[in-house]
Amino acid sequence: MFRRRTALSVSLAAGLLAAVPLLTACGSDAHPGAAAIVDGKRITVAQLQAKVKDVREAQGRSAQGAQLVASTGRLSLATLNGMIFDRVLERGARQAGVTVHRDGVQKWRSAAEERAGGGARLKAMWLQQGIAPDEIDATVRNQLLLDGLAKKIGADRGSPQGQQKLADALATTSRAMGIDVNPRFGKWNDKQVILGQAKDPWITKAPAARQQA
């Protein structure tokens, strides 16, 4: 499925930055200041704001800044979706014995940069998807964890059946983590492993630059 941060290719809904709801420090009554609780640990509104700000500042430095902002209008929702999913994937991969090393990340990224036409071009492509330059290595690592998990459980990501098998495995992990989202951002769907209205759940960004297995 993350081709959707499953398929992890996240296509964020269009809209202007001004249309993004203002985030405040107050969380739900049960979890003040929290955007979500995942496996008993908080993702704070401040952490979410910092990631959104990082992306917006990077987009602002681009010559296509206005277009980038318009194409990632629901950035806060998509970012929180990714932050929660990252924790689910991390736990699922760890339980399956899947590990990713830095040299693997660098190899994948180098191949992606070559396909994209250079490092600057790859950064620009992922910035269009709401990924800041300093988050690229983490995104690549997640992609490798997802691929490794799929291989470990015998899920062919190229087939609908394989995608469903992978989704089912992640859904089982998600349910075990007791994910509780601040109602302001919607509700986490354990079955689909996605946050409410986030259109696309999983990781593969910039598919044209993806390293072939």
Side-chain angles (χ1 to χ4, degrees), residues 148-173:
L149 178 60
K151 183 176 181 180
K152 194 78 171 184
I153 66 175
D156 177 9
R157 294 185 63 200
S159 71
Q161 296 82 359
Q163 289 285 4
Q164 188 59 54
K165 186 173 183 178
L166 180 58
D168 290 344
L170 289 169
T172 298
T173 300

Side-chain angles (χ1 to χ4, degrees), residues 7-81:
L8 277 203
S9 188
V10 178
S11 297
L12 304 178
L16 296 176
L17 176 58
V20 180
L22 179 65
L23 301 180
T24 62
C26 60
S28 65
D29 291 340
H31 308 294
I37 305 294
V38 182
D39 204 20
K41 299 180 180 179
R42 290 156 45 101
I43 294 176
T44 68
V45 171
Q47 289 171 327
L48 174 58
Q49 287 177 322
K51 282 186 173 289
V52 170
K53 181 180 178 182
D54 193 23
V55 173
R56 289 302 187 211
E57 288 181 345
Q59 291 176 336
R61 293 191 293 269
S62 170
Q64 292 78 40
Q67 180 181 348
L68 290 173
V69 169
S71 67
T72 54
R74 302 184 71 186
L75 184 58
S76 59
L77 178 63
T79 300
L80 181 58
N81 180 67

Side-chain angles (χ1 to χ4, degrees), residues 1 26 33 47 73 86 97 121 128 147-148 152:
M1 291 165 48
C26 60
Q47 289 171 327
D86 290 352
R121 176 57 180 157
Q128 292 174 0
D147 290 343
K152 194 78 171 184

